[in-house]
Amino acid sequence: MTDAAPTPPARERLERALGRVPYFAQQPDAVKNTLLTSARHHEYEAGQIIYLAGDPAKYVYVLEQGWIKSSRMTRAGREQGLLFLRPVDVFGHIGVFTDGTYPGSTTALEHAHVWAIPAETILGLARQHPEFSVGLIRELSSRILHFISLAEELGLRSVDARLCQNLLRNAVIQDGRMVVPRREWTTFDEMAVRLGTVRDVLSRSLKKLEADGLILVERDAIVLLDPHGLADRCN
Amino acid sequence: MTDAAPTPPARERLERALGRVPYFAQQPDAVKNTLLTSARHHEYEAGQIIYLAGDPAKYVYVLEQGWIKSSRMTRAGREQGLLFLRPVDVFGHIGVFTDGTYPGSTTALEHAHVWAIPAETILGLARQHPEFSVGLIRELSSRILHFISLAEELGLRSVDARLCQNLLRNAVIQDGRMVVPRREWTTFDEMAVRLGTVRDVLSRSLKKLEADGLILVERDAIVLLDPHGLADRCN
DNA sequence: AAGAGCACCCGACATAAGTCGTGTCGTGGC
DNA sequence: GCCACGACACGACTTATGTCGGGTGCTCTT
């Protein structure tokens, strides 16, 4: 983790990053300037923990580069993924607005650049600028939507169904094929965490889908051969 | 469902109800007056549906009296409880701040009185009054905390563990005993919905706990004989 | 008093999910 | 080339969870 005051080039990067954050791009200059001068740059290596569940929530973060996950763990070591974040997502704000501790742990999945904004700065802006608050409200609401879906899936759907749904949700078109790209960190273990299960079970599920000709698991991608058939199994 | 303009006595009831809503009591008079004049009273019978998941989110509701549940269902009829609300909780706001449709269905568990506030009123207040927005932000954040816990429980904990946790969480002291009160609508089916399982499984879990001397299931309450032993099973 | 409906019980069962031990394979360091 | 390691495969197994069909007792109605 490195620390640096936002010197001109850094400030530019931050400005560009913030500009891509939904609802924050159209904030008045006063808000933007406060954010620009208060944010500090941090860097994390793959696997490094940014904060743990229960840590005091001193900062709200903006993810400039790299993927990050937020999760909760049991003593036994099982892990439930809560969010997988990519640029330019905001994280850490929930803790700031509730009891002052982060609700989940956050880990860098790959080399990541983030901007840390002090909690008081955010709270101050929210109190003074309605348009900033409304942006936060929208951000928080859409996150609730995400967690409602997560709870529904975990409570009502089988691992197979969740897998199919996740594949379809993360699919992109790549030279004519429908694929879910796999990064270096997209191991079976990580995918299992995302689905709320363990590697073995996920592996079996994938095999089953592959045997049924619905998908093709390659080193750097999962090819969706039959999106329609996959959709059928989401029930 | 009945409709009535807030005549003086009604307005008083509404005022009292709003006064008990966290973060809303200390709103400036302008905010309070807007809410008081725009809210309409509705009544629902036990089992009646207030809105379904996907309905256009025209109102934000304040629950004045009675219990309400919010849930999602599969085609097959299985149901996952998302929230169990009691006076004076707010509901329906998520849909207003996202895509304009309610994310879950809401059902009255018993005879219920609610106040419906038009979505535009809420949006307008949020844009104009920072202190109102901050109240909403806190409300939304604490709801996120709830859903994170729900997701964690569903993903990482067994039905037994969830049951123990829920019993402890809902326990109250009643003439010296630690009990979870049962209302008329607290059937095994409803409890199962809350835990994200089915009646039969819940029934077995309860039997097991009873056989082990940890609890006592009575008609109108579940007595926690050994809270410490229950806590051990929450792992 | 009979009948209907509901809440719940119970045993048998099928399937889903998680665990464990071992083995393979490719990669990267030395 | 050798070795260590991490990612993944596979089969055997246990346990958890959900489903089904039938049965009991209670309450409310008529």
Side-chain angles (χ1 to χ4, degrees):
Chain A
M1 187 173 117
T2 64
D3 233 89
T7 51
R11 190 182 166 104
E12 250 170 59
R13 281 177 53 195
L14 174 56
E15 202 161 3
R16 200 159 36 215
L18 282 179
R20 293 165 58 203
V21 176
Y23 313 120
F24 285 68
Q26 62 262 49
Q27 294 299 321
D29 287 344
V31 172
K32 281 186 176 170
N33 283 329
T34 306
L35 290 173
L36 284 170
T37 53
S38 68
R40 289 292 173 278
H41 179 257
H42 294 302
E43 234 169 292
Y44 297 89
E45 298 303 320
Q48 218 181 327
I49 291 170
I50 301 175
Y51 54 72
L52 287 171
D55 281 355
K58 294 188 184 154
Y59 300 103
V60 173
Y61 296 90
V62 176
L63 179 53
E64 183 194 2
Q65 199 179 93
W67 284 72
I68 295 243
K69 76 171 167 185
S70 154
S71 60
R72 278 209 183 173
M73 300 189 51
T74 60
R75 278 121 228 267
R78 264 198 64 192
E79 191 179 356
Q80 171 66 58
L82 298 174
L83 287 164
F84 281 73
L85 302 166
R86 61 179 176 187
V88 180
D89 283 326
V90 176
F91 62 100
H93 44 172
I94 317 293
V96 170
F97 291 118
T98 51
D99 62 352
T101 66
Y102 294 117
S105 306
T106 302
T107 313
L109 291 165
E110 57 190 29
H111 189 87
H113 294 252
V114 306
W115 292 91
I117 302 158
E120 315 85 56
T121 304
I122 298 290
L123 288 167
L125 287 174
R127 270 191 290 267
Q128 292 171 325
H129 298 275
E131 52 276 79
F132 186 74
S133 304
V134 170
L136 283 170
I137 287 171
R138 295 204 182 277
E139 164 70 24
L140 290 169
S141 298
S142 72
R143 189 141 306 179
I144 289 183
L145 243 43
H146 171 264
F147 284 120
I148 288 180
S149 295
L150 183 60
E152 182 201 348
E153 286 178 24
L154 292 170
L156 298 175
R157 305 254 221 271
S158 67
V159 171
D160 286 334
R162 277 180 266 161
L163 172 58
C164 293
Q165 192 147 343
N166 265 271
L167 288 175
L168 290 170
R169 193 179 288 164
N170 296 314
V172 296
I173 305 290
Q174 215 168 69
D175 39 65
R177 308 184 308 171
M178 198 167 170
V179 301
V180 178
R182 292 179 67 184
R183 306 170 184 262
E184 328 76 58
W185 52 265
T186 320
T187 65
F188 280 24
D189 271 310
E190 283 300 343
M191 288 192 271
V193 165
R194 190 189 292 228
L195 292 176
T197 182
V198 292
R199 189 190 54 223
D200 302 60
V201 176
L202 168 65
S203 173
R204 265 181 304 205
S205 271
L206 282 168
K207 283 284 158 213
K208 209 191 310 174
L209 292 181
E210 205 166 13
D212 294 353
L214 295 171
I215 63 170
L216 202 60
V217 180
E218 295 178 355
R219 177 206 296 276
D220 54 356
I222 298 173
V223 188
L224 309 195
L225 299 173
D226 180 2
H228 204 274
L230 282 172
D232 285 344
R233 304 216 185 177
C234 286
N235 67 59
Chain B
M1 183 172 118
T2 64
D3 233 273
T7 52
R11 191 183 165 101
E12 249 171 61
R13 279 177 53 194
L14 174 55
E15 202 161 2
R16 199 159 37 214
L18 282 179
R20 292 165 58 204
V21 177
Y23 315 118
F24 284 68
Q26 61 261 49
Q27 294 299 320
D29 287 344
V31 173
K32 282 187 176 169
N33 283 330
T34 306
L35 291 173
L36 285 169
T37 53
S38 68
R40 290 291 174 277
H41 180 257
H42 294 301
E43 235 169 293
Y44 298 89
E45 298 303 321
Q48 215 182 330
I49 290 169
I50 301 176
Y51 54 74
L52 287 171
D55 283 355
K58 294 186 186 156
Y59 300 104
V60 173
Y61 296 91
V62 175
L63 178 54
E64 184 196 358
Q65 199 179 93
W67 283 72
I68 295 244
K69 76 171 168 186
S70 156
S71 61
R72 278 210 184 171
M73 299 189 51
T74 61
R75 280 120 227 263
R78 264 197 64 191
E79 190 179 358
Q80 171 67 57
L82 298 174
L83 286 165
F84 281 73
L85 302 165
R86 60 181 175 185
V88 181
D89 283 324
V90 175
F91 62 101
H93 44 171
I94 317 292
V96 169
F97 291 118
T98 52
D99 63 352
T101 66
Y102 294 118
S105 305
T106 302
T107 314
L109 291 164
E110 56 189 30
H111 188 86
H113 295 252
V114 306
W115 293 89
I117 303 157
E120 316 85 59
T121 304
I122 298 288
L123 287 169
L125 286 174
R127 269 191 289 269
Q128 292 171 325
H129 297 276
E131 52 276 77
F132 185 75
S133 305
V134 171
L136 282 170
I137 287 172
R138 296 203 181 279
E139 165 71 25
L140 291 169
S141 298
S142 72
R143 189 143 303 182
I144 290 185
L145 243 43
H146 171 264
F147 283 121
I148 288 180
S149 294
L150 182 60
E152 183 201 346
E153 285 177 25
L154 292 171
L156 298 175
R157 304 252 223 269
S158 67
V159 172
D160 286 334
R162 276 179 269 162
L163 172 58
C164 293
Q165 193 149 339
N166 264 271
L167 288 175
L168 289 169
R169 195 179 287 164
N170 296 314
V172 296
I173 305 290
Q174 215 169 67
D175 41 66
R177 307 183 311 170
M178 197 167 171
V179 302
V180 177
R182 292 181 67 183
R183 305 166 185 265
E184 327 76 60
W185 51 265
T186 321
T187 65
F188 279 23
D189 271 310
E190 282 301 344
M191 289 191 272
V193 165
R194 189 190 293 231
L195 292 175
T197 182
V198 292
R199 191 191 51 225
D200 302 61
V201 176
L202 169 66
S203 172
R204 267 180 304 203
S205 270
L206 283 169
K207 283 285 159 212
K208 208 193 309 176
L209 292 181
E210 205 165 13
D212 294 353
L214 295 171
I215 62 170
L216 203 61
V217 180
E218 296 179 355
R219 176 204 298 276
D220 53 356
I222 298 174
V223 187
L224 309 194
L225 300 173
D226 179 1
H228 204 275
L230 283 172
D232 284 345
R233 304 218 185 177
C234 286
N235 68 58

